């Protein structure tokens, strides 16, 4: 068995031709640049490419397989150098049972399964060349098709105020839209962690995942997990999610929820923080309020004793968030010690001090264990690591 670092939610900004895939993602975020960043810069063993349903992306993957640049694993996934690609798709569900749109992540074991899935969903989409598009079938139909093809079905960033399961998609329960038996895991999003999500009893059966939802190369691995697997492959991922045959999630590494850009409730017009359940800003009087994840979870909470024994959730701060670590310093650290996973997990503090100041080395050490003080984010603005530590 081996430790395996995995970030299963990475967007493609542009196809090989330059055509947009994820419109809000960086244009430089291509399939090739993702692999380079994830493997050589970040140190990810497994990544989820969640725009793999796009025909031009599938064409490029087919070229990789034919040329030998990539190799499809018997257990599922495409191995390129030291990193395994898990082929996924982010889609938007908004059927008659939804209170609002819901984003979901669907992963397929093999290239041919994704080709079949892509052709199927193309019948129910207005534009299958783009990411995160609405699919005009009921959520349960989408779940059944996913299972028919051997795939995984995972609701995405489930507490985000916009386009998520609990943000606006359902009033109280996931059963309003989905078959609970056909959900394999849930993705928490940047503004929640294991402790917060464990306050909802109906989530007890599901593994919690933390992924980057990266829209640029630098954001890859801002959240991720460490699995215990025989090898980075789709079948091994399935075993780990079900805690079978010794495979499991060892640790989840995510932002302190305070750093998430939707943690607290904020006035959309003036940006003032709104306390409690008020739907009107006390500063400007606006009713345009973006409800924070923390407030939404308080509304939904129905247990104080969520499932115990879940993997540890470490409030790890990405290197790019740490004051004093700009592009030049980060590059120096990588040249000296390797990937960001090496820097965050394997390099001692004393070794770090040979490359950066004692203060910066100390902040990196504290970032590993969630000891850096932070200020809250909300309304689409990320929280910040405080420069002056007490």
């Amino acid at each position: 068995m081996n430790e395996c670092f995995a970030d299963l939610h990475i967007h493609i900004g542009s196809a090989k031709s330059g055509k947009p895939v994820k419109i809000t993602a960086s244009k430089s975020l291509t399939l090739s640049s993702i692999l380079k960043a994830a493997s050589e810069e970040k140190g990810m063993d497994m990544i989820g490419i969640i725009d793999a349903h796009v025909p031009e992306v599938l064409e490029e993957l087919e070229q990789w397989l034919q040329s030998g640049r990539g190799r499809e694993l018997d257990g599922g996934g495409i191995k390129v150098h030291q990193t395994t690609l898990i082929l996924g798709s982010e889609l938007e569900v908004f059927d008659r049972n939804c209170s609002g749109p819901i984003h979901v992540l669907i992963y397929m074991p093999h290239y041919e399964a994704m080709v079949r899935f892509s052709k199927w969903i193309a019948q129910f989409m207005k534009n299958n060349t783009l990411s995160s598009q609405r699919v005009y079938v009921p959520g349960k139909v989408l779940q059944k098709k996913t299972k028919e093809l051997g795939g995984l079905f995972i609701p995405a960033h489930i507490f985000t105020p916009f386009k998520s399961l609990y943000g606006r998609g359902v009033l109280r329960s996931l059963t309003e839209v989905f078959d609970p038996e056909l959900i394999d895991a849930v993705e928490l999003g940047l503004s929640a962690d294991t402790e917060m999500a464990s306050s909802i009893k109906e989530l007890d059966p599901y593994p919690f995942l933390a992924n980057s939802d990266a829209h640029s190369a630098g954001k890859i691995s801002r959240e991720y997990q460490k699995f215990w697997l025989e090898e980075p492959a789709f079948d091994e991922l399935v075993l780990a999610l079900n805690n079978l045959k010794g495979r499991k999630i060892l640790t989840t590494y995510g932002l302190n929820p305070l750093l998430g850009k939707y943690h607290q409730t904020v006035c959309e017009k003036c940006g003032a923080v709104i306390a409690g359940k008020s739907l009107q800003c006390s500063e400007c009087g606006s009713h345009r309020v973006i409800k924070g994840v923390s407030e939404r979870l308080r509304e939904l909470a129905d247990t104080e004793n969520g499932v115990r024994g879940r993997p540890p959730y470490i409030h790890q701060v990405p290197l790019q968030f740490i004051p004093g670590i700009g592009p030049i310093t980060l590059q120096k650290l990588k040249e000296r010690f390797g990937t960001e996973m090496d820097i965050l997990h394997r390099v001692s503090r004393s070794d770090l001090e040979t490359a950066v100041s004692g203060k910066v080395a100390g902040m990196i050490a504290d970032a590993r264990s969630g000891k850096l003080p932070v200020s809250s984010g909300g309304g689409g603005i990320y929280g910040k690591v405080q420069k002056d530590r007490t």
Side-chain angles (χ1 to χ4, degrees), residues 45-97:
D45 301 295
M46 183 162 61
I47 58 174
I49 302 295
I50 49 80
D51 302 317
H53 68 276
V54 172
E56 192 172 340
V57 173
L58 285 170
E59 290 174 9
E60 185 173 1
L61 287 168
E62 182 179 25
Q63 292 170 5
W64 286 15
L65 291 171
Q66 291 177 347
S67 67
R69 182 179 180 184
R71 173 174 61 90
E72 190 152 37
L73 300 173
D74 292 338
I78 296 176
K79 191 68 172 287
V80 184
H81 301 305
Q82 302 302 313
T83 302
T84 299
L85 279 67
I86 304 297
L87 305 185
S89 174
E90 183 172 28
L91 298 171
E92 182 173 296
V93 174
F94 194 13
D95 64 27
R96 61 185 179 86
N97 298 310

Side-chain angles (χ1 to χ4, degrees), residues 126-142:
K126 292 182 178 179
N127 190 345
N128 71 332
T129 69
L130 295 175
S131 171
S132 311
Q133 297 298 289
R134 185 167 297 175
V135 55
Y136 292 91
V137 294
K140 291 178 181 178
V141 172
L142 185 60

Side-chain angles (χ1 to χ4, degrees), residues 348-362:
S348 69
R349 177 170 177 169
S350 58
D351 284 342
L352 288 171
E353 289 178 350
T354 66
V356 293
S357 70
K359 180 179 180 180
V360 172

Side-chain angles (χ1 to χ4, degrees), residues 44-313:
M44 289 287 110
D45 301 295
M46 183 162 61
I47 58 174
I49 302 295
I50 49 80
D51 302 317
H53 68 276
V54 172
E56 192 172 340
V57 173
L58 285 170
E59 290 174 9
E60 185 173 1
L61 287 168
E62 182 179 25
Q63 292 170 5
W64 286 15
L65 291 171
Q66 291 177 347
S67 67
R69 182 179 180 184
R71 173 174 61 90
E72 190 152 37
L73 300 173
D74 292 338
I78 296 176
K79 191 68 172 287
V80 184
H81 301 305
Q82 302 302 313
T83 302
T84 299
L85 279 67
I86 304 297
L87 305 185
S89 174
E90 183 172 28
L91 298 171
E92 182 173 296
V93 174
F94 194 13
D95 64 27
R96 61 185 179 86
N97 298 310
C98 295
S99 300
I102 302 170
H103 280 196
V104 297
L105 304 173
I106 292 166
Y107 302 93
M108 290 294 157
H110 296 285
Y111 173 80
E112 286 301 326
M114 181 53 77
V115 170
R116 291 173 62 191
F117 182 71
S118 176
K119 290 179 179 178
W120 181 78
I121 61 171
Q123 307 169 76
F124 310 107
M125 298 172 68
K126 292 182 178 179
N127 190 345
N128 71 332
T129 69
L130 295 175
S131 171
S132 311
Q133 297 298 289
R134 185 167 297 175
V135 55
Y136 292 91
V137 294
K140 291 178 181 178
V141 172
L142 185 60
Q143 285 182 286
K144 289 177 182 177
K145 188 63 178 182
T146 299
K147 292 304 170 184
E148 177 187 317
L149 294 172
L152 292 169
F153 187 92
I154 300 174
H157 43 72
I158 59 173
F159 301 114
T160 302
F162 307 103
K163 300 184 178 181
S164 78
L165 178 62
Y166 293 112
R168 291 189 179 175
V170 299
L171 296 177
R172 295 290 308 181
S173 172
L174 59 85
T175 59
E176 295 166 30
V177 178
F178 298 125
D179 181 343
E181 298 297 321
L182 301 182
I183 293 175
D184 296 286
V186 295
E187 181 188 68
L188 300 182
L190 304 182
S191 297
D193 61 12
T194 293
E195 182 178 358
M196 295 170 66
S198 293
S199 66
I200 301 176
K201 189 171 182 55
E202 72 174 358
L203 294 180
D204 284 358
Y206 308 117
F208 293 162
L209 297 179
N211 298 306
S212 69
D213 194 359
H215 287 48
S216 63
K219 295 296 193 298
I220 294 172
S221 78
R222 61 180 169 181
E223 294 200 336
Y224 57 96
Q225 38 273 311
K226 181 167 64 177
F227 289 107
W228 189 239
L229 308 175
E230 186 69 32
E231 66 169 340
F234 183 90
D235 288 352
E236 292 283 314
L237 173 61
V238 173
L239 290 173
L241 293 180
N242 289 282
N243 206 27
L244 295 174
K245 297 184 179 180
R247 281 69 163 180
K248 57 186 175 181
I249 303 172
L250 288 173
T251 313
T252 305
Y253 296 94
L255 298 178
N256 183 321
L258 297 176
L259 288 171
K261 61 182 180 179
Y262 296 113
H263 182 72
Q264 57 187 348
T265 301
V266 169
C267 173
E268 185 177 7
K269 184 176 180 180
C270 74
V273 175
I274 298 174
K277 299 180 180 180
S278 175
L279 296 179
Q280 183 175 9
C281 178
S282 60
E283 296 293 325
C284 70
S286 173
H287 289 273
R288 291 162 51 192
V289 172
I290 300 175
K291 185 180 294 182
V293 168
S294 57
E295 178 60 32
R296 179 60 172 148
L297 271 162
R298 279 191 286 270
E299 294 176 354
L300 295 168
D302 56 7
T303 178
E304 295 181 357
N305 299 301
V307 170
R308 299 299 174 245
R310 286 190 180 275
Y313 191 106

Side-chain angles (χ1 to χ4, degrees), residues 315-329:
H315 289 160
Q316 189 175 92
V317 176
L319 293 172
Q320 292 87 346
F321 276 58
I322 300 174
I325 300 185
I328 295 176
T329 300

